[in-house]
Each structure stands twice: as C-alpha cells, then as structure tokens.
Amino acid sequence: MNYFSTRDTERTNPKTSAQAIKQGIAQDGGLFMPESIPAISLSEISALSALPYTERAANILSKFLTDYTYDELLASAKAAYSEEKFAGGATGISALGDTHRVLELWHGPTCAFKDMALQIMPRLLSLALKKTGEKRTAYILVATSGDTGKAALEGYKDVDGVKITVFYPEDGVSAMQKLQMTSQTGENVNVCAIKGNFDDAQTGVKKIFSNSDVANKLDENGIFLSSANSINWGRLVPQIVYYVSAYCDLVSEGDIKLGDVIDITVPTGNFGNIFAAYVAKLMGMPFGKLICASNRNNILTDFINTGVYDRNREFFTTMSPSMDILISSNLERLLYLISGPAKCAAYMKSLSENGKYEVEEDVLVKIKESFTADYCTEENTASTIRDTFDKYSYLIDTHTACALYASVNAEMKNAAEGRNVKILTASTASPYKFAADVLKSLGKTPKSESFEVIYELSDATDTEIPAPLAALRDAKVRFTASVGKSWEEMLAASEKFVGIE
C-alpha cells in the first residue's frame, strides 16, 4: 500500500506507510493518504466481533500498514491497550434509551479519545524509524487545543530517539488540560504556551514543517521533524479501528444485527475523528449518516450545508475548547477523496491566500451523501449535560454534549423520515476534564475554579473521579514558558529545547 500527498497531482512521490508515519506531513504541505481504501466484508465483521480489541486493531491496521507485519501490529496493540493503561478495556458503550448509544473513548491514561491513537502511534513511529534505517532524532511538534497535547506527551515520554514539544493556546484550554500538560514527566518532553488561539498554533507548526531552511538546519544537527497531530496518518489510522470495533460490539451484544445500518455523531473541530468514521464507511462498514457536531465555532456546519469554507469570521472561546478551531486540517483528506488532488490543492491554496474556498456543486452533493452537520450553542451544551444527567443519571463532558445534542436532533429528523436506526455518539473526554463547566451546567455554583472542583463534581453527582485525574492533585508544574503566536517565536522555542542556537 503506497501513500501519496493530497496535493500530488501526478502521483510521482509514493511513500510506504512507515515513511508516511515518520515524515508526518508531505513536503508540498499536503497530507498523506493511501492509494486505495481496503475493503471489509460482513463475514470479516462477524469474525472480528468474536475477537478482543487488540486483535481487531491488528487486523484493521494490517489492511493499511502493509509494510508492518501482523505480529508487529498485534504486539503494538497489546502494549498500547493493556489493562494497565485502559482499566476496564479500551472502549465502552452505554445505552441512553432505545436509540442512542454512547461510545466512550476516554478510558485511557489522559482521559481523552486521543489516547486511542496516541498510545499506539509512538510504537508505530519507533518501528518506522527502524524500517527506514533512520539514525536521526525524531522531533515531534504538536499544536493542541487541549487533549492531543497531553495524550502525545504521555505517549512519547522517554521514547528512545524522540523528542517532543507541545504548543497550546495560553487561554484556550481548560484548567485541567493545562495542568495535565504543564506537569508532564519525561526527560524528552517540552510544553510551551502561545499568546494566540489553536489556529495560530497549528499554522505556526505547519510553517515550521514547510520551511526547507529549518529542515536543513535540523538535519545538520541530526534531527528531523515529525508530527503527532491527526495530520499524521499514523495518528488517524488507529481511530478507524474504534468505529469498526464499536459496530462489532453492538453485534456481539445483540443490540443490532449484522448488516444493520447505524448513524454516527462525532464532535469535531479538526475533522480527523469523523474522517476516520468516513474511511470505515468507505471500507464497507454499515454506517449511514455521519453527523458532524460543532460548537459555536460552526465553520464545519456552514461548509457541509453550503459548500463554502470561510475562516474569515469571529472566533469564540467556548466551554468545549477542543473544538474551538477555524482551520479543520483533516477536511483536506475528504476533499482529496471526493474531488481529487488538483482541486484539493487549489482549495488549500485559496484557503491560505484568501481564508476561504467554495467547492463545486457536484462535490457538495457527494459530501452530503454521507455527512450532515449540526452545531450547539453554549446554552444548549449546558442544557444537554443537565438533561442527560437528569434523565439517565449519565454524566457527559462539554464536547460529548455538543454531539449528543446533534444526535437528539438527528433522531427527530430520522423519525420524521421513517428511518429507524440507532445513533452512536462518540464521547471524547471525561466530564472531569471540564469539571467547572459541567458543574455549572448542572445548576451548581463551583466554590473554586481550581483543581478541587473535581471533588465538588464527584460529590454533586455521586460519580467517580478517574484515577489519572485524581493523581494530578499532587502534580508539580514543570513548564511555564509562553511565547508570541508567530511561527518564528515558536521555532526559537523549539530549537532552544533541542539545543540549537
């Protein structure tokens, strides 16, 4: 299976999966995609339904990462999704009434869905370095809106041959997310705030990646750049697994019959999580509508409804900060699959130069065949948290609330159209990562905005604080640096960490 850039119109520069994972982003600024999407049959889904998560992961990954052996992938999955890291199993599914099923993706060491990829991705990268004969140090640069940063830091800490710096928006993450990152242990990790928003951080990282002078300077010092954001295929491909696995669980538990269609709702800002569900659908999974749920920064909702992507709009800081994004990088992969590399490259050029682009009518029609979109206001986010807890005694975070709000709306629309399908909602974070906002949503006034608010939430709801978050009570802050939002300042901070003057 070869990989090509989304902007490679001639398909002249193929990469193996190991090369794509090592490099992270293509030299032309595009994202790597496999030359074809492998198929999965109903009989294969039936067989996978009888297997544990680790074996399901190895089977699905082996379809995409063909230069890795099955045994390598299985060993990586067993190490990544061990009981020590994912107490009680990698994922869980909770039922809310007859229609709604919630896919819990936050049982890992950082209590966010990013663990599902970022526990196995470092193992895939380490194998890639060996397969490609790489002797230089891999320097991971990460822009985060909250959860990716901590999950990447935890996944890559003390990994041989790797260093990592995470940039986060100074005022754009929750107090818990900030504490998780700034207290991170590990000798090869670095964390730095920027005086800007996530889009500024993401743009800065991309500019560093695309600068040939930077690459040459790092190379002279025995270093090359790679990424842990979902722009890296090695980060995205493990996300395909949990959608396949969730369907298998619904079948094995008798909740649905093999071949039944389900809809899937995903809260997303960077479009990677829902794109993984789309790839699974292209493989042959019986997925119907993919419902893209946004918060007040509803740029994706507008795009899916109109075909116009316009980042020239007001940016809002919300209680669901991981979705406070106006440049959805993984949307490029969808445009590539539907419109081809030439048009995709033109859209991205327009976005870079004008901050907007508009797709043709036939492209929009194709997008709407699989995707619908909805968004949730701050008021509706709060009311969904409260209503879900009151009705089901089930506590959700602010991002899951945006998705569940969209799922409820979709259920009403399905009923009006005579569609009777179950809706799987991706739950992307523990409510305790956003404890103050969740508590306020329940009608309670926090006595403190500090770490102690998680105990207030636990007392108010009689729910258990996840062990990885409770352990942060005595954590010591290691990283306090903050720089401006320009890519040059971010580069200087990056070079300082690896000892380059």
Side-chain angles (χ1 to χ4, degrees):
M1 177 76 79
N2 285 322
Y3 285 75
F4 293 91
S5 167
T6 50
R7 304 178 194 180
D8 184 357
T9 56
E10 302 299 325
R11 282 194 153 193
T12 55
N13 193 14
K15 302 288 184 183
T16 66
S17 63
Q19 290 172 325
I21 289 171
K22 184 182 81 170
Q23 191 170 328
I25 190 170
Q27 287 182 323
D28 60 8
L31 308 184
F32 287 114
M33 280 292 293
E35 59 188 332
S36 62
I37 303 298
I40 189 169
S41 65
L42 287 180
S43 61
E44 286 181 277
I45 297 171
S46 178
L48 289 175
S49 297
L51 299 178
Y53 190 88
T54 51
E55 293 183 43
R56 293 174 185 171
N59 272 275
I60 298 302
L61 293 176
S62 67
K63 290 177 178 289
F64 291 94
L65 311 180
T66 54
D67 48 331
Y68 291 71
T69 69
Y70 178 84
D71 288 343
E72 286 174 332
L73 295 171
L74 181 59
S76 296
K78 285 183 175 180
Y81 305 116
S82 66
E83 187 70 22
E84 176 186 357
K85 295 180 180 294
F86 288 83
T91 64
I93 296 180
S94 293
L96 303 184
D98 294 333
T99 299
H100 298 287
R101 301 293 178 266
V102 179
L103 175 60
E104 297 169 355
L105 299 169
W106 43 264
H107 293 290
T110 77
C111 302
F113 82 100
K114 311 296 176 72
D115 290 326
M116 298 300 299
L118 283 166
Q119 280 301 304
I120 195 170
M121 184 184 176
R123 304 172 198 283
L124 299 178
L125 177 62
S126 292
L127 288 167
L129 297 181
K130 294 176 183 177
K131 290 177 183 294
T132 58
E134 184 59 69
K135 303 300 182 184
R136 296 171 297 172
T137 296
Y139 189 17
I140 310 291
L141 289 188
V142 178
T144 186
S145 53
D147 287 333
T148 289
K150 172 60 180 178
L153 291 164
E154 189 66 25
Y156 280 100
K157 71 175 181 180
D158 296 326
V159 171
D160 290 339
V162 176
K163 292 182 181 292
I164 178 171
T165 289
V166 168
F167 293 101
Y168 71 93
E170 194 166 51
D171 299 315
V173 300
S174 75
M176 180 64 77
Q177 288 173 315
K178 184 176 182 178
L179 179 60
Q180 282 187 299
M181 288 187 285
T182 57
S183 63
Q184 177 65 48
T185 60
E187 294 304 310
N188 64 334
V189 305
N190 181 42
V191 179
C192 185
I194 71 157
K195 297 177 175 67
N197 58 39
F198 169 76
D199 289 327
D200 296 320
Q202 182 169 246
T203 298
V205 166
K206 284 184 175 181
K207 286 185 176 180
I208 293 171
F209 265 93
S210 62
N211 189 296
S212 59
D213 291 336
V214 171
N216 292 334
K217 186 176 181 181
L218 291 172
D219 182 57
E220 291 170 1
N221 287 271
I223 299 169
F224 74 95
L225 291 175
S226 190
S227 67
N229 287 82
S230 56
I231 56 175
N232 191 316
W233 183 254
R235 160 71 188 282
L236 197 144
V237 67
Q239 297 180 263
I240 300 169
V241 174
Y242 54 69
Y243 290 112
V244 175
S245 182
Y247 188 90
C248 290
D249 283 339
L250 293 174
V251 170
S252 63
E253 293 166 6
D255 202 6
I256 61 174
K257 296 178 182 177
L258 183 66
D260 283 353
V261 171
I262 64 170
D263 291 346
I264 297 178
T265 306
V266 185
T268 188
N270 220 12
F271 206 74
N273 199 1
I274 197 167
F275 182 75
Y278 179 66
V279 174
K281 179 177 179 177
L282 293 181
M283 292 175 71
M285 294 301 298
F287 297 162
K289 295 177 181 177
L290 302 178
I291 304 158
C292 180
S294 301
N295 61 15
R296 194 179 178 192
N297 293 293
N298 60 333
I299 189 167
L300 286 169
T301 308
D302 287 347
F303 171 71
I304 291 171
N305 287 335
T306 69
V308 176
Y309 193 98
D310 187 355
R311 66 158 302 194
N312 303 306
R313 59 175 66 205
E314 185 176 358
F315 176 87
F316 299 103
T317 299
T318 73
M319 71 172 85
S320 47
S322 296
M323 297 157 65
D324 291 346
I325 295 173
L326 293 182
I327 302 177
S328 303
S329 291
N330 274 287
L331 191 58
E332 179 170 348
R333 285 187 162 112
L334 177 67
L335 296 172
Y336 165 79
L337 286 178
I338 290 178
S339 66
K343 284 186 177 180
C344 180
Y347 298 145
M348 294 304 102
K349 185 173 186 290
S350 179
L351 180 64
S352 175
E353 295 177 352
N354 307 310
K356 65 183 294 186
Y357 60 85
E358 182 175 2
V359 300
E360 294 77 7
E361 182 62 27
D362 63 319
V363 174
L364 181 59
V365 168
K366 188 70 175 176
I367 290 171
K368 287 185 175 183
E369 287 177 4
S370 292
F371 291 91
T372 63
D374 202 350
Y375 75 97
C376 191
T377 65
E378 293 288 88
E379 294 76 16
N380 287 332
T381 302
S383 64
T384 300
I385 292 171
R386 182 175 62 253
D387 293 347
T388 302
F389 188 74
D390 289 346
K391 188 173 182 178
Y392 301 108
S393 298
Y394 187 75
L395 195 62
I396 57 175
D397 85 295
T398 50
H399 304 78
T400 306
C402 291
L404 199 54
Y405 173 83
S407 291
V408 170
N409 288 344
E411 178 190 24
M412 291 187 288
K413 186 176 180 181
N414 284 343
E417 296 174 353
R419 291 182 76 237
N420 182 23
V421 299
K422 287 190 167 61
I423 303 176
L424 182 72
T425 300
S427 179
T428 53
S430 163
Y432 282 91
K433 294 197 74 169
F434 308 92
D437 284 316
V438 171
L439 194 61
K440 292 173 187 175
S441 299
L442 295 174
K444 311 287 185 180
T445 301
K447 298 175 183 176
S448 170
E449 292 287 339
S450 70
F451 180 83
E452 300 301 316
V453 74
I454 69 173
Y455 295 96
E456 295 181 53
L457 181 60
S458 180
D459 290 341
T461 59
D462 195 27
T463 56
E464 187 175 352
I465 302 169
L469 300 184
L472 288 170
R473 188 173 200 174
D474 300 318
K476 295 181 179 179
V477 172
R478 294 180 61 202
F479 302 101
T480 58
S482 178
V483 299
K485 64 182 181 180
S486 73
W487 76 271
E488 291 91 350
E489 290 173 278
M490 293 171 63
L491 174 62
S494 302
E495 291 182 336
K496 180 180 178 181
F497 174 60
V498 292
I500 298 177
E501 298 298 330

